Amino acid sequence: MDFASELISQLPWLRKMAGRYCKGEDDIQDLVSDTILRLWQTRDRFDEGHAFRSLAYKVMQNIYINQYNRNKFSVLVEDFPTKEPTTHANADALIRAKQVIQRVRQASTRSVCIRPVIMYALGYSYQEIADSLHIPLGTIQRRIHEGRRILKQELHP
C-alpha cells in the first residue's frame, strides 16, 4: 500500500487520537491537519516495514507538545495604568505596584501556574478556567495551588 492511501485510510483513527489531546472540534481538526502535513512532508523517510500508526501517533504527540509549550508562556497580565501621583504616599504605592506587576510577569514567563492564578483572581471559577485553557479541572486546581506558592516566594523572598 502506498503512503497516500495509507494516510487516507487512517484519517478516522487520527481524528480519534486527536480527540484525546483536544476538546474542541476546531482544535481536533487543526491537530489532524498539522499531523497530515508533517507526515506528508516526511513521506520519503517512511519505511513500509514500520507501523504507520506508531509513526503518525508520535508525530501528532510531538505537534501537540510543541503547540502546548508555545502557548503556555503567554502573559495574561495587562500593563499597569500609570498616572501621576498626587502625594508621596501615592508615589510609593505606585512604585510598589509596578514592582509587583513586574515580578508577576517574570514569574509567568517561568511557570505555567501563574496564568490560572491571575484568572482566578479576576473572578473566574475553576471550571471556567479549565474550559478556557482546555485543561482538566484537577490540573487547574493544582496549578493554582502551585502558582500561589510561586507568587508568594516571588513577592516575599
Side-chain angles (χ1 to χ4, degrees):
M1 185 181 282
D2 70 326
F3 188 83
S5 58
E6 181 72 25
L7 183 61
I8 291 170
S9 71
Q10 295 300 325
L11 284 177
W13 179 81
L14 285 171
R15 289 189 52 72
K16 179 182 172 186
M17 291 297 107
R20 292 183 178 182
Y21 291 112
C22 306
K23 291 184 181 178
E25 188 62 34
D26 291 338
D27 293 335
I28 291 171
Q29 187 59 39
D30 287 345
L31 183 57
V32 169
S33 297
D34 290 344
T35 303
I36 290 170
L37 177 64
R38 184 82 46 88
L39 287 169
W40 189 257
Q41 289 171 341
T42 60
R43 68 186 178 276
D44 56 325
R45 290 187 265 160
F46 178 67
D47 182 15
E48 297 221 10
H50 289 88
F52 180 82
R53 282 188 174 190
S54 62
L55 171 69
Y57 181 75
K58 194 50 131 174
V59 167
M60 181 180 289
Q61 186 179 43
N62 288 338
I63 289 171
Y64 176 77
I65 290 169
N66 289 338
Q67 288 174 347
Y68 177 80
N69 287 336
R70 197 174 305 128
N71 294 331
K72 76 179 181 179
F73 291 122
S74 64
V75 178
L76 185 66
V77 181
E78 299 291 326
D79 287 335
F80 188 77
T82 57
K83 58 182 181 179
E84 294 300 318
T86 55
T87 65
H88 183 67
N90 285 349
D92 288 342
L94 185 60
I95 290 170
R96 178 70 180 137
K98 285 183 178 181
Q99 290 172 345
V100 167
I101 295 294
Q102 181 181 11
R103 286 187 176 169
V104 169
R105 280 190 183 134
Q106 289 171 350
S108 70
T109 61
R110 292 190 307 266
S111 175
V112 297
C113 299
I114 304 304
R115 185 175 186 187
V117 172
I118 294 170
M119 292 177 76
Y120 185 74
L122 291 173
Y124 292 97
S125 69
Y126 287 146
Q127 189 62 51
E128 290 172 325
I129 297 168
D131 292 342
S132 68
L133 297 178
H134 306 292
I135 299 173
L137 182 63
T139 303
I140 291 297
Q141 292 170 336
R142 182 191 56 77
R143 286 185 182 177
I144 288 175
H145 174 76
E146 184 66 18
R148 286 177 179 159
R149 186 188 64 74
I150 291 169
L151 286 176
K152 186 177 180 181
Q153 288 176 346
E154 189 70 32
L155 297 174
H156 303 288

